[in-house]
Amino acid sequence: MSLMEQLNRKALGLGVPLSVHLDVTYRCNERCEHCYLEHDGKNELTTAEIRGFLLQFSEAGAFFLTISGGEPLLRRDFFEIIEFARELKFNVKLKTNAVLVRENDARRLREAGVEQVQVSVYSHKPEIHDAITKLPGSLSRTLEGVRLMRAAGLKVTLANVLMRSNAGDYAGVQALAAETGSQYTLDPTITPMLNGDSSILGMRLPAQGLRAVFRDARLVGNVDDFCAPPAPIDDEIREGIPCSAGHTSCYVSPWADVYPCVQFPLPCGNLRQQSFSEIWAASAQLLEVRSIRAKHLATCLSCSHLGTCTRCPGLAFMEGNMRGPSSADCEKSFLRTGVATAGMLAGSAVSPHSSSHPALVQIQL
């Protein structure tokens, strides 16, 4: 068992929120066509509120902190937030488009001790990347920021969201990662907007595109292993939790709302009304999420993919039932292995022959 697995298991046993994802703003200098956020900056958290909440996260036992947005560098107090988080000994990961990063910014991030920076890059072709972000020149400016951060000694990961408009460009982005000395992650995840609008799901990668990704050894390693049929299910799997969301991790919005995850928009409380510890320990919604084990997933329990499916309870929730299957993950499991899922057989998931399934997968490379 790895150190991280041990840490997560201990946090789960102690009821500790090991990881917190904090969006400090929804404002952004890009308008990515697939974004699930509304870019409203009204009533967002003040500097004093954020400092107070970081203290609360720390006192509750949180260690990993993701700072994101929107574009977090749009906040004038951005470095004050980062530096205070590091004073509290958080392991800080930053998500940014890097458009605003200059040499001095890269240096300050490194001096503050930011552990990792994740930067979204959609294509190696400016005409495609910039069309997705709707910001002319954004690819050039993003890559400049990446190179400045790498020169400063920061660990950088290029995150490549894959969809219809850039389906053929992942090899080019992977090459950019190698060229800049960055890590690479591919993520064909298009989710409904947090306000429930599902119109952006039309941008999802078609089934044949995701099937090709699953059989690309440059992305998945050993294809035979990655696409192998599901393994037998045992009692440990049946008793397991479906996801860490709400168990050892949570998401906090720029309006102080607490959710199990950024992809699980179940309101669990607001930090302007209750303390973080009160919400974490006693929120009825979080307690319900924590009560669910794999054996409580009526449809999924009968599925041969139960132990290997990356079912997202947040996507299932947005489809109407947090205990139900996620059609995105049902079809992903089918496309990866060729074995139909229980959700498909029960008719609660989309057809495996759909040309535009809701793809959800993350492949770390």
Side-chain angles (χ1 to χ4, degrees):
M1 184 184 298
S2 70
L3 179 60
M4 275 304 303
E5 289 173 331
Q6 294 179 52
L7 190 59
N8 276 292
R9 180 169 291 190
K10 188 166 186 178
L12 182 63
L14 295 172
V16 171
L18 185 62
S19 304
V20 176
H21 177 151
L22 172 65
D23 277 352
V24 294
T25 184
Y26 283 157
R27 291 176 289 130
C28 193
N29 49 356
E30 296 182 334
R31 287 294 182 271
C32 296
E33 60 182 8
H34 62 289
C35 186
Y36 54 85
L37 299 174
E38 293 182 289
H39 301 295
D40 185 352
K42 295 178 182 177
N43 203 34
E44 69 185 21
L45 299 174
T46 66
T47 307
E49 285 178 319
I50 290 176
R51 290 173 68 97
F53 296 157
L54 291 178
L55 278 168
Q56 292 184 43
F57 302 158
S58 178
E59 291 167 356
F63 176 65
F64 296 104
L65 177 70
T66 297
I67 298 289
S68 185
E71 174 47 55
L73 270 77
L74 286 175
R75 287 192 64 119
R76 294 182 180 182
D77 59 358
F78 167 74
F79 280 103
E80 181 179 347
I81 294 169
I82 291 289
E83 289 161 1
F84 185 67
R86 288 295 299 133
E87 286 177 23
L88 296 175
K89 308 303 181 185
F90 282 109
N91 177 295
V92 176
K93 176 181 179 178
L94 171 65
K95 291 187 177 183
T96 173
N97 57 39
V99 167
L100 298 176
V101 173
R102 299 295 179 263
E103 185 174 0
N104 185 55
D105 303 318
R107 177 185 57 78
R108 288 187 69 179
L109 289 171
R110 181 66 184 90
E111 289 176 351
V114 170
E115 175 65 21
Q116 185 184 47
V117 184
Q118 180 173 302
V119 180
S120 294
V121 176
Y122 302 109
S123 174
H124 60 297
K125 302 172 184 176
E127 64 273 19
I128 293 180
H129 177 94
D130 295 0
I132 290 172
T133 65
K134 298 182 173 61
L135 179 65
S138 57
L139 178 60
S140 175
R141 295 167 66 183
T142 288
L143 291 178
E144 178 186 0
V146 168
R147 292 187 175 101
L148 289 172
M149 289 189 289
R150 290 293 299 130
L154 287 159
K155 299 174 187 175
V156 178
T157 296
L158 302 192
N160 184 193
V161 175
L162 203 60
M163 49 193 144
R164 287 179 179 271
S165 55
N166 66 347
D169 294 349
Y170 59 81
V173 179
Q174 198 171 17
L176 281 177
E179 175 195 326
T180 58
S182 305
Q183 297 298 307
Y184 172 82
T185 179
L186 179 129
D187 185 8
T189 304
I190 304 295
T191 63
M193 294 184 68
L194 290 184
N195 65 9
D197 183 355
S198 61
S199 61
I200 60 175
L201 297 184
M203 301 174 189
R204 298 173 302 203
L205 192 66
Q208 62 269 26
L210 187 57
R211 186 182 285 110
V213 166
F214 285 161
R215 285 154 181 78
D216 190 330
R218 295 170 298 177
L219 298 175
V220 304
N222 187 308
V223 175
D224 290 338
D225 287 346
F226 189 78
C227 296
I233 299 166
D234 57 25
D235 287 340
E236 184 177 358
I237 291 173
R238 294 185 186 94
E239 295 292 336
I241 62 172
C243 175
S244 65
H247 291 268
T248 59
S249 63
C250 66
Y251 165 67
V252 179
S253 81
W255 302 320
D257 294 310
V258 179
Y259 302 91
C261 173
V262 69
Q263 290 182 183
F264 196 162
L266 172 68
C268 299
N270 186 282
L271 294 176
R272 285 170 168 158
Q273 300 168 6
Q274 294 175 276
S275 72
F276 179 71
S277 292
E278 288 173 331
I279 294 171
W280 183 257
S283 162
Q285 294 81 7
L286 283 177
L287 292 176
E288 180 183 6
V289 169
R290 290 179 197 143
S291 73
I292 301 172
R293 297 292 182 268
K295 66 183 180 182
H296 299 135
L297 308 176
T299 301
C300 299
L301 182 59
S302 64
C303 185
S304 61
H305 292 277
L306 183 65
T308 56
C309 180
T310 56
R311 173 189 173 275
C312 173
L315 286 182
F317 172 76
M318 284 189 275
E319 290 184 31
N321 181 5
M322 72 172 80
R323 292 175 175 79
S326 156
S327 61
D329 296 295
C330 280
E331 195 163 7
K332 180 182 63 174
S333 291
F334 169 77
L335 292 172
R336 181 171 57 83
T337 66
V339 178
T341 70
M344 290 176 175
L345 296 173
S348 56
V350 294
S351 164
H353 306 294
S354 167
S355 63
S356 59
H357 69 285
L360 175 69
V361 63
Q362 189 169 51
I363 304 169
Q364 296 284 350
L365 300 167

